[in-house]
Amino acid sequence: MNLEQLHQTCSTCTACKLAPTRQNVVFGEGNPNARLMLIGEGPGQEEDRTGRPFVGQAGQLLDQILAAVGWSRADVYIANVVKCRPPNNRNPETDEVAACDHWLLEQIRLIRPQVIITLGNVPTQWALSTTLGITKTRGQWAEFKKLSAPIALLPMFHPAYLLRNAIRTVGGPKWLTWQDIKAVKAKLEAMPEKPDQTLEVEQTTLF
Ligand code: URA
Ligand code: SF4
Ligand code: URA
């Protein structure tokens, strides 16, 4: 299946208990050949209504963060760990992530990003198979190891968290986010263009 076929198939998924209350499956969007992929937690109200990732307030801040280093949404690919909105924006539950993450993993496999940004606790803990909180993992380069070749990964704060902590003090969350996105830019600039490789799911890490 290519990315478009995967999108079509995912759009009618009813594999977990989030299906009955959603309006739209939010598959993800952007450049299917992106060098950078961003992973959020799950759709909120505006995303559920429109079927598009990060289009609410947090999404607008994310656009600004990308714009700070000269990127637009068309340059990157944006997706979430779960594709349907958890009621009242609660965190997705373990069984929901377990039912849904094969979609995301296949997106990553097909897009073959050279760098992944995880936004906040839920995607970071999923991607790194860790229980460490985002304040410990943020800003530390790590590797995404669920596919046959490792992908550089930087955990960053979730933009919704930045909206709640908007003051731009040196050393504060917003300041740290600007350092992080500049580090991602520098990392990609230092890398050669995308190699022509095929990634496979690393079966040993799927548990
Ligand atoms: N928050 C997320 O984690 N994902 C979205 O798509 C929107 C808000
Ligand atoms: Fe399917 Fe994922 Fe939606 Fe659950 S959240 S119904 S697994 S697409
Ligand atoms: N707390 C969160 O829930 N998310 C963040 O990104 C940072 C702190």
Side-chain angles (χ1 to χ4, degrees), residues 38 114 131 160-161 165 193:
L38 295 99
Q114 290 171 288
T131 54
Y161 171 75
N165 294 269
E193 283 297 310

Side-chain angles (χ1 to χ4, degrees), residues 133-193:
I134 188 70
T135 52
K136 288 237 162 56
T137 51
R138 187 238 108 245
Q140 313 255 24
W141 283 101
E143 281 185 337
F144 180 76
K145 293 180 181 159
K146 294 180 195 287
L147 294 169
S148 51
I151 301 171
L153 185 150
L154 191 68
M156 290 180 35
F157 288 133
H158 195 285
Y161 171 75
L162 300 178
L163 288 173
R164 299 193 295 272
N165 294 269
I167 312 163
R168 214 183 260 264
T169 6
V170 172
K174 252 195 163 171
W175 184 87
L176 289 170
T177 291
W178 259 254
Q179 309 311 305
D180 291 345
I181 199 70
K182 284 191 277 183
V184 170
K185 175 90 172 180
K187 185 88 161 183
L188 277 167
E189 281 178 350
M191 279 179 176
E193 283 297 310

Side-chain angles (χ1 to χ4, degrees), residues 52-98:
R52 300 183 55 212
F54 281 99
V55 290
Q57 262 199 308
Q60 287 165 27
L61 180 54
L62 184 61
D63 289 347
Q64 289 176 34
I65 294 166
L66 293 172
V69 290
W71 288 326
S72 76
R73 292 172 76 107
D75 298 318
V76 304
Y77 193 94
I78 307 182
N80 287 302
V81 173
V82 294
K83 311 302 192 198
C84 303
R85 184 192 183 198
N88 305 313
N89 299 338
R90 66 161 169 74
N91 281 4
E93 291 168 0
T94 311
D95 59 316
E96 295 156 0
V97 173

Side-chain angles (χ1 to χ4, degrees), residues 10 13-19 22 25 82-84 96 99-100 103:
C10 181
C13 177
T14 55
C16 85
K17 62 185 185 297
L18 296 177
R22 73 166 181 242
V25 172
V82 294
K83 311 302 192 198
C84 303
E96 295 156 0
C100 203
W103 299 114

